Amino acid sequence: QVQLVESGGGLVQAGESLRLSCAASGIPFRIGGRGWYRQAPGKQRELVAAMGRDGRTKYADSVRGRFTISRDNAKNTVSLQMNSLKSEDTAVYYCNAGRFLGSDSYYPEDYWGQGTQVTVSS
């Protein structure tokens, strides 16, 4: 019973903040990475941020300095703190389980949450 369940999405104004959370269960231990992806209408799904079990992180250039990924390994949760939100951040955000290959290359396995909508109004 593999599950990844996102929560925390919503409608906010530009400049405001949101915190997304993802609860995981049933993920094979060897798949220790966790990532946040997003997909806007008409665009490809893109990696927003990822974090390894050891704390290594990877961020998209567009969110670096504004978003922070964190995780609680004991609780099997991962969160994404999103500050200074922009209209360009509007998308469906997905939680993912994957693996780091090397220091900063994240490979998503086919484990995805259902997605949570983030809408930023300008």
Side-chain angles (χ1 to χ4, degrees):
Q1 294 181 321
V2 173
Q3 282 193 313
L4 291 162
V5 182
E6 304 97 334
S7 61
L11 173 64
V12 298
Q13 295 180 333
E16 295 298 308
S17 299
L18 274 178
R19 185 177 179 88
L20 306 182
S21 295
C22 173
S25 62
I27 306 296
F29 184 81
R30 68 184 184 277
I31 305 176
R34 300 290 185 266
W36 286 98
Y37 285 73
R38 67 186 181 188
Q39 187 165 26
K43 303 189 70 175
Q44 290 186 308
R45 188 173 299 188
E46 64 174 349
L47 177 67
V48 178
M51 190 171 192
R53 187 178 285 124
D54 60 358
R56 75 184 77 180
T57 58
K58 180 180 177 67
Y59 291 95
D61 290 342
S62 60
V63 308
R64 188 176 294 107
R66 298 188 298 121
F67 292 9
T68 302
I69 188 170
S70 61
R71 60 189 291 173
D72 186 330
N73 294 333
K75 296 181 178 179
N76 294 318
T77 59
V78 60
S79 65
L80 184 70
Q81 179 66 43
M82 305 185 294
N83 298 327
S84 301
L85 282 162
K86 307 174 180 179
S87 60
E88 305 94 273
D89 297 317
T90 295
V92 177
Y93 284 71
Y94 298 90
C95 183
N96 168 260
R99 295 176 291 139
F100 271 88
L101 304 176
S103 61
D104 65 351
S105 180
Y106 182 76
Y107 177 84
E109 299 287 350
D110 196 20
Y111 297 109
W112 301 93
Q114 82 287 350
T116 186
Q117 177 71 48
V118 172
T119 302
V120 184
S121 62
S122 58

